Amino acid sequence: MIGFFPEPLPDELFFSICSRYAEMLAYPTKRTARYDLFKSKRTIVSVDFPIKLETLINVLPPGHSLTTDRLINDHTLLPLFMPFVPAKRVSMIKKQMRENGENVHGSLGANTFPGKVKVFRYCPDCVEEDRAAYGETY
């Protein structure tokens, strides 16, 4: 169990929440942060469709407000894809994200996109607004 995990900011992606956590606690490596959060040094925290969310929920401190459904629905990109995916497949994808889903991107047809972005882009005005509102940017 970990002693602290940041409360998600509005519209913040799960990847960003994990990144803020690792930065706040000054982890020496990404691998040690991943182990504390997911009990695995090999788990990759996906920017769009993270997996092993139940594992994370189980290591959070008592009384934390996060649930797997809240993470999936409010802090991943799945809600943007849901209108275009049959309900049965959405249920399967949510199960994959809760567990050790190996093929979430394939289930969505998102693993064939040729133009994967390799760097994060941001709006400088939004960064300033976030810093003014929350004391940090995400």
Side-chain angles (χ1 to χ4, degrees):
M1 181 171 298
I2 60 176
F4 161 80
F5 194 72
E7 192 62 33
L9 297 169
D11 298 324
E12 183 177 24
L13 287 176
F14 179 71
F15 181 87
S16 174
I17 302 165
C18 292
S19 296
R20 285 193 306 119
Y21 167 78
E23 185 176 309
M24 287 173 179
L25 294 176
Y27 275 91
T29 67
K30 293 177 193 172
R31 184 175 282 182
T32 44
R34 285 192 305 248
Y35 184 80
D36 281 355
L37 296 175
F38 301 101
K39 299 304 171 205
S40 168
K41 293 180 181 176
R42 296 178 185 250
T43 298
I44 302 298
V45 182
S46 171
V47 173
D48 45 10
F49 307 108
I51 60 170
K52 296 187 79 172
L53 296 177
E54 279 293 330
T55 302
L56 172 79
I57 294 298
N58 290 330
V59 301
L60 293 180
H64 205 286
S65 66
L66 285 177
T67 65
T68 54
D69 285 333
R70 182 173 165 212
L71 286 174
I72 291 169
N73 295 330
D74 298 344
H75 302 288
T76 73
L77 296 184
L78 185 60
L80 299 174
F81 283 72
M82 286 171 49
F84 310 101
V85 178
K88 188 174 181 179
R89 193 175 328 158
V90 169
S91 294
M92 178 188 71
I93 291 165
K94 284 184 176 185
K95 184 176 187 226
Q96 290 174 323
M97 291 173 75
R98 284 184 185 96
E99 299 171 1
N100 194 12
E102 295 180 9
N103 197 18
V104 175
H105 289 89
S107 297
L108 283 165
N111 63 343
T112 58
F113 181 67
K116 289 190 177 184
V117 177
K118 293 181 173 46
V119 296
F120 288 110
R121 297 183 178 130
Y122 63 92
C123 166
D125 293 336
C126 297
V127 166
E128 291 307 315
E129 287 176 18
D130 289 346
R131 284 195 177 121
Y134 306 110
E136 62 185 333
T137 188
Y138 62 99

